Amino acid sequence: MFSFLRRMLVAAAAFGAFGATAAAQTPPGVLIVAQIAEPKSLDPHAVTAVNDFRILMNVYDGLVRYKPGSLEVEPALAESWTVSEDGTVYTFTLRDGVTFHDGSELDAEAVKFNFDRMLDENHPFHDTGPFPLSFFFGSVDSVEATDAKTVVFTLKEPYAPFLSNLAYPTGLIVSPAAVREHGEDFGRNPSGTGPFTFVEWESNAKVVVEANPDYWDGAPDLKAVVFRPITDANTRVAEMLSGGIDVMVEVPPDNLSTFADDGSYTVFEQAGPHLWFLILNAKEGPMADKMVRQAVNYAIDKTALVDNVLQGTAEVAAGPTPPAFAWAYNEALEPYPHDPEKARALLKEAGAEGASLTFYVTEGGSGMLDPIAMGSAIQADLAEVGLDVAIETYEWNTFLGKVNPGLEGKADMAEMAWMTNDPDTLPYLALRTDAFPDKGGFNSGYYSNPEVDTLLEDARRATDQAERARLYKQMQEIVHEDAPWAFIANWKQNAVTSTRVAGFELQPSFFLLLDGVTKN
């Protein structure tokens, strides 16, 4: 199998090098996917970026997963589960006969190892982290393997997003044997139970996975998938047009019509739980005044951004919760209108006329859409109301290294985008007082409102969805008024494939699930 795969990969590399002139060399059964960046790690517990998740969801499984086309949870490695009446004990029954790619057995002790590794500082392999999203499971008090096929999670208190978080990549199950063998290098030597097995990772060139013929849910039709990091959007477009890749995600808005009008390609679009926003430094400087933050929201022409820069591939955002979470979304909220006069009046009242601001802009990143063009447009809108905005632009990972530790002493605002799995995730991790960066969260603008804190805590303890919805809708009203962010856009994700590809679908989770894909 490996020699056959190697021949196909050589052919794929030749095709990528020579483009459309080498079309006959394109190997059937090998899917070449353009990634927007080099992955950080192939350890699902060690990463936070959707770019990485798109690979990992094809190599690993969780106890549960999202149903295709939805964010509803269904069985995966656990064939069933029960929840105690008080909502604090989850008992999972594992499937029989599942093995990791390295041949070791999936059993309850393996599941326990995964969560203890993330959550127990005294675990012998806790130092193979850090595990930046382990707080997804901060409600877990204990994990017990009561027999070979039964795992019991006991929570400290009811936690409504628990199953949804288990379906997220942080809940994917890795091979304990591989972690023991490779230690801190496990992220370069991954082993899961998923539909594809790891073959190689050539830095800044490709990650290669091949079909797992023994996959518990049926072997994939593809022979292999090659994930190629192509950070420049124009280069990705050129590669797609020349035939060097089969699948391209996050297509620049200007190029969508090119592919849509060409019968050699299929264009996919789907709304999902995405929010593009500006983090505003509510701790110091002009943005510490709510009136200034509101002025920024009024000053930005979000409709022009969506229609002109993003070419209609997004909708104007009204608040911190994406409308894709229909059950929790507050439809009564209206986006801040473009009202420069109102913005100037607020700035005058706050004594912030002519204020100088530092604005962090990224060159790219998952869900960041067209960040440089958007940043320039926002800078111009703020200049129109008298604000002097200096842009500092950084590569994505450098940008995160500046923003995630907090904006204090560095910047007044920064671009950001989140793609989430539950209405709890973004506000809980980025708007609570206890989510300040020095406490391990992502509240880089230091927004603090005790009422919002209480609503978010109560919502994750509520087991009734209607009650959760009521709490989230109330939270959205307060956050909309306080304006800790400038709410810009909710993106409709997109992708393009060659017509040789069949069975491809976009997921509201923003993951790529490729086990049902074929390529002739």
Side-chain angles (χ1 to χ4, degrees):
M1 172 66 180
F2 186 77
S3 61
F4 173 62
L5 175 60
R6 175 63 62 185
R7 289 196 301 273
M8 290 194 293
L9 293 178
V10 169
F15 181 69
F18 296 110
T21 60
Q25 299 180 41
T26 311
V30 177
L31 190 74
I32 306 173
V33 179
Q35 291 279 94
I36 64 170
E38 173 79 349
K40 179 180 179 180
S41 171
L42 298 181
D43 180 346
H45 304 156
V47 295
T48 63
V50 170
N51 182 69
D52 298 1
F53 296 164
R54 288 172 174 146
I55 301 175
L56 299 173
M57 295 301 290
N58 295 284
V59 176
Y60 300 91
D61 297 301
L63 292 173
V64 297
R65 63 188 180 190
Y66 300 125
K67 294 179 181 178
S70 81
L71 291 173
E72 295 180 38
V73 170
E74 69 175 8
L77 293 179
E79 62 183 9
S80 64
W81 63 87
T82 61
V83 184
S84 65
E85 188 173 342
D86 67 356
T88 62
V89 180
Y90 289 71
T91 303
F92 295 88
T93 301
L94 303 181
R95 294 183 186 277
D96 289 324
V98 179
T99 57
F100 291 101
H101 300 150
D102 57 18
S104 59
E105 183 182 1
L106 171 78
D107 59 15
E109 287 293 344
V111 175
K112 175 177 169 59
F113 176 99
N114 273 255
F115 290 90
D116 287 352
R117 173 187 176 229
M118 284 190 283
L119 301 174
D120 182 0
E121 293 182 357
N122 296 317
H123 189 271
F125 291 94
H126 184 74
D127 61 0
T128 57
F131 309 115
L133 296 183
S134 61
F135 49 73
F136 271 37
F137 305 110
S139 63
V140 173
D141 187 52
S142 66
V143 184
E144 299 300 328
T146 57
D147 61 45
K149 295 299 175 185
T150 307
V151 186
V152 179
F153 290 77
T154 302
L155 309 186
K156 300 168 186 174
E157 58 187 358
Y159 177 51
F162 181 61
L163 284 173
S164 180
N165 284 359
L166 284 176
Y168 207 64
T170 313
L172 294 172
I173 304 300
V174 310
S175 164
V179 173
R180 292 187 180 104
E181 177 181 356
H182 298 288
E184 293 182 358
D185 293 328
F186 172 74
R188 303 284 305 200
N189 300 274
S191 178
T193 61
F196 294 91
T197 64
F198 174 74
V199 175
E200 66 174 316
W201 178 358
E202 182 182 341
S203 294
N204 299 307
K206 63 180 180 291
V207 172
V208 181
V209 298
E210 66 179 347
N212 175 9
D214 301 318
Y215 185 47
W216 61 268
D217 203 21
D221 292 311
L222 292 168
K223 296 291 190 293
V225 182
V226 181
F227 297 92
R228 292 181 52 200
I230 306 174
T231 55
D232 180 72
N234 291 327
T235 304
R236 289 199 303 277
V237 170
E239 286 267 20
M240 192 75 212
L241 290 170
S242 70
I245 55 180
D246 302 307
V247 178
M248 176 182 176
V249 295
E250 302 193 29
V251 183
D254 286 345
N255 300 107
L256 271 178
S257 61
T258 300
F259 293 112
D261 295 339
D262 189 325
S264 300
Y265 305 97
T266 305
V267 173
F268 299 82
E269 287 187 291
Q270 184 188 75
H274 169 277
L275 177 65
W276 199 104
F277 58 102
L278 301 182
I279 303 170
L280 306 179
N281 186 343
K283 185 173 186 177
E284 61 184 5
M287 298 294 182
D289 190 320
K290 181 172 74 172
M291 289 188 292
V292 177
R293 300 195 300 269
Q294 290 175 335
V296 167
N297 273 278
Y298 283 116
I300 297 170
D301 189 346
K302 294 173 278 293
T303 299
L305 279 171
V306 164
D307 290 346
N308 301 329
V309 178
L310 300 181
Q311 304 284 310
T313 59
E315 297 177 348
V316 173
T321 300
F325 294 123
W327 64 270
Y329 181 66
N330 190 334
E331 295 184 353
L333 285 186
E334 294 288 340
Y336 275 84
H338 181 222
D339 190 341
E341 289 299 325
K342 177 73 170 176
R344 292 188 191 97
L346 286 167
L347 291 172
K348 182 176 182 179
E349 186 177 353
E353 293 173 293
S356 296
L357 305 174
T358 299
F359 180 19
Y360 283 174
V361 169
T362 179
E363 295 175 352
S366 298
M368 291 305 303
L369 310 183
D370 198 348
I372 293 177
M374 294 174 76
S376 296
I378 289 168
Q379 180 188 42
D381 285 344
L382 296 181
E384 184 185 352
V385 299
L387 294 173
D388 180 18
V389 179
I391 287 179
E392 295 183 15
T393 305
Y394 300 97
E395 176 273 333
W396 176 236
N397 288 314
T398 303
F399 175 85
L400 291 179
K402 287 182 169 292
V403 174
N404 286 346
L407 299 183
E408 183 178 9
K410 295 180 290 190
D412 299 283
M413 56 189 200
E415 297 179 338
M416 189 50 65
W418 277 64
M419 295 173 276
T420 59
N421 64 315
D422 189 275
D424 167 82
T425 308
L426 174 56
Y428 196 83
L429 299 184
L431 287 175
R432 284 182 311 124
T433 305
D434 283 344
F436 281 12
D438 62 356
K439 298 179 181 180
F442 294 89
N443 187 349
S444 299
Y446 317 98
Y447 169 67
S448 178
N449 185 316
E451 190 175 1
V452 168
D453 295 344
T454 299
L455 288 167
L456 290 171
E457 292 289 354
D458 289 348
R460 58 172 27 197
R461 294 189 188 101
T463 55
D464 177 69
Q465 190 177 86
E467 175 62 8
R468 289 187 76 200
R470 184 188 69 80
L471 295 166
Y472 287 134
K473 290 175 181 179
Q474 188 176 347
M475 174 274 295
Q476 291 166 59
E477 292 175 359
I478 298 169
V479 172
H480 180 273
E481 169 70 16
D482 284 350
W485 301 335
F487 314 106
I488 306 297
N490 301 119
W491 177 51
K492 294 177 285 189
Q493 63 169 320
N494 59 51
V496 61
T497 71
S498 77
T499 51
R500 297 180 61 192
V501 176
F504 179 88
E505 295 180 353
L506 287 173
Q507 302 296 326
S509 61
F510 295 93
F511 307 149
L512 291 182
L513 305 180
L514 302 176
D515 53 317
V517 172
T518 62
K519 177 189 167 187
N520 62 32

